[in-house]
Amino acid sequence: MRRYSAKSNTTNQPLPVALLMMTSTEIQAACGVMCINRAAIVDNYRMLARHAAPAQCGAVLKANAYGLGAETIAPALYAANCRIFFVAQLSEGVALRKILPTDAMVVVLNGVMPEAMVFCFAQQITPLLNSIDQVMAWLTLLETRQQRRAVMIQLDSGMSRLGVMSQQLMRLAAIFRERNWPAPDYIISHLANADRPDHALNMVQHARLQQAKAVFPSSRFSLANSCGMFLHLGWREDLCRPGIALFGVTQPWFSRLLKPVFTLTLTILRVQDVPAGTPVGYGSTVTATRPLRIATISAGYADGVPRNMRPPAGVCWRGVRLPVLGRVCMDSFMVDASAVSPTAGDVVEFIGTGQTLEEVAAACDTIPYEIMTRLGARFQRIMQPAGV
């Protein structure tokens, strides 16, 4: 069976060895191929950990490690000395707990309803307690079981999403005194505008965390997410929680520090020359004003390519950007290939060096987080070794 080869590479960019080892049939059967570089993820984590020091550096692997595969990324980060892992849902925590050693802490950011805390306790998962009721239920369970487990509380310092309010801190302190409990192990909050360093709410949220410090001086504290780590030094507190930065998605003030960690290649399904006046795609939102060469690409909104993607985004063929034409379909989309001469079966780059994740997101009026976490199950995911 014919193997894909460097000669078949129409992206004009170096491709991972694993992709070169696939057959043409395997590539086309998958609708697209994601090559994920675990070594780059580990390098990013180590850089972030050095930057956070002396604070501890965890890893946020919610949404299946932002769509890239937590089951293989988490062990690689553990081997790089990460010992605290954050997910959003309890089900994610259960899956992660099965593959990590017992000395790794798995924390559920969305908290756990009181009726599910016995299960959470049995799974050795730590809930981030998001209300007074959750705090009371967790402390009662620990007292009943006569076991010491971490107590982590989220403070809503200004995002209005989850956590106890600043005005509830004194009540919380009274609960700990009345029950003769030591202070919470961690009090955690989350910045709503860390990607906007000059936003006034950043200072408000930081000040509210300092109020919590005054109430619980012996607790440890966490405020910084990926962007927050690169704000003022003091905001790193005791624990940083990078998520998207692990995967090379950056902001301008720290873009040079991190490595992109994945590429996504797609396949051309058909190439067709059409005359002026030809409508393109659903709703006929585009009509050719001149003769066009249209290439149909092998993924659509069912695979996480946003329906509203617009030029200049598209795909790259031999280093040339072929912009999208019309609306993205469920399983495919069309691009303008008039300037080049591709053929059906050619591999093209959707996310990589020729067209970055950030560029795709901008062309879809969204953020890289959403593009990453929506990338679908029909893509073949090739995980390269971590090298740790």
Side-chain angles (χ1 to χ4, degrees), residues 107-183:
V107 181
V108 177
L109 292 168
N110 278 8
V112 175
M113 294 296 109
E115 56 268 28
M117 284 187 176
V118 171
F119 176 75
C120 186
F121 179 91
Q123 295 291 318
Q124 296 187 310
I125 293 169
T126 302
L128 182 56
L129 306 170
N130 286 308
S131 68
I132 295 291
D133 288 345
Q134 288 185 20
V135 171
M136 295 285 284
W138 187 244
L139 294 182
T140 298
L141 176 62
L142 298 185
E143 289 167 352
T144 301
R145 297 303 174 93
Q146 296 184 328
Q147 289 194 28
R148 183 72 175 93
R149 295 285 182 85
V151 178
M152 305 182 77
I153 298 174
Q154 180 156 202
L155 172 69
D156 183 355
S157 61
M159 192 168 179
S160 302
R161 182 174 64 176
L162 289 169
V164 301
M165 306 298 291
S166 295
Q167 55 266 38
Q168 294 177 303
L169 285 170
M170 299 311 296
R171 183 183 171 195
L172 200 60
I175 290 170
F176 276 77
R177 286 196 305 270
E178 290 164 5
R179 302 181 78 134
N180 198 30
W181 264 85

Side-chain angles (χ1 to χ4, degrees), residues 68-358:
L68 299 186
E71 72 283 353
T72 52
I73 292 171
L77 293 177
Y78 179 88
N81 293 318
C82 183
R83 290 297 181 269
I84 182 165
F85 297 83
F86 295 90
V87 293
Q89 308 291 352
L90 180 54
S91 59
E92 295 178 314
V94 171
L96 210 56
R97 181 77 280 167
K98 292 176 180 177
I99 60 174
L100 287 172
T102 56
D103 65 329
M105 180 182 288
V106 177
V107 181
V108 177
L109 292 168
N110 278 8
V112 175
M113 294 296 109
E115 56 268 28
M117 284 187 176
V118 171
F119 176 75
C120 186
F121 179 91
Q123 295 291 318
Q124 296 187 310
I125 293 169
T126 302
L128 182 56
L129 306 170
N130 286 308
S131 68
I132 295 291
D133 288 345
Q134 288 185 20
V135 171
M136 295 285 284
W138 187 244
L139 294 182
T140 298
L141 176 62
L142 298 185
E143 289 167 352
T144 301
R145 297 303 174 93
Q146 296 184 328
Q147 289 194 28
R148 183 72 175 93
R149 295 285 182 85
V151 178
M152 305 182 77
I153 298 174
Q154 180 156 202
L155 172 69
D156 183 355
S157 61
M159 192 168 179
S160 302
R161 182 174 64 176
L162 289 169
V164 301
M165 306 298 291
S166 295
Q167 55 266 38
Q168 294 177 303
L169 285 170
M170 299 311 296
R171 183 183 171 195
L172 200 60
I175 290 170
F176 276 77
R177 286 196 305 270
E178 290 164 5
R179 302 181 78 134
N180 198 30
W181 264 85
D185 295 272
Y186 278 97
I187 294 178
I188 290 175
S189 196
H190 191 76
L191 291 164
N193 295 279
D195 58 337
R196 301 163 69 187
D198 297 327
H199 197 285
L201 186 58
N202 291 332
M203 297 300 297
V204 172
Q205 291 192 262
H206 185 255
R208 287 175 179 165
L209 193 72
Q210 305 318 300
Q211 293 174 11
K213 281 186 177 183
V215 177
F216 294 105
S218 62
S219 294
R220 287 169 285 182
F221 293 84
S222 178
L223 182 63
N225 50 11
S226 289
C227 293
M229 292 180 64
F230 292 87
L231 297 177
H232 189 274
L233 174 65
W235 293 23
R236 297 174 203 168
E237 300 292 346
D238 301 296
L239 170 65
C240 294
R241 309 183 317 274
I244 199 75
L246 294 170
F247 310 112
V249 179
T250 63
Q251 295 295 327
W253 64 92
F254 62 95
S255 59
R256 63 182 177 83
L257 301 173
L258 299 173
K259 300 176 180 179
V261 303
F262 77 98
T263 61
L264 174 55
T265 55
L266 307 175
T267 302
I268 294 178
L269 301 177
R270 185 189 84 152
V271 179
Q272 181 65 50
D273 292 324
V274 301
T278 301
V280 182
Y282 282 117
S284 303
T285 57
V286 169
T287 300
T289 58
R290 55 180 172 78
L292 290 179
R293 177 167 297 139
I294 299 175
T296 302
I297 309 300
S298 63
Y301 62 75
D303 305 295
V305 180
R307 185 171 180 265
N308 69 332
M309 184 171 70
R310 63 180 185 273
V315 297
C316 288
W317 182 90
R318 295 187 179 174
V320 178
R321 181 80 64 88
L322 313 182
V324 64
L325 285 170
R327 292 176 179 161
V328 172
C329 309
M330 180 182 288
D331 311 293
S332 59
F333 63 93
M334 286 72 79
V335 299
D336 183 355
S338 302
V340 293
S341 300
T343 59
D346 284 353
V347 170
V348 291
E349 181 187 73
F350 181 60
I351 294 174
T353 55
Q355 177 172 268
T356 66
L357 173 64
E358 290 84 351

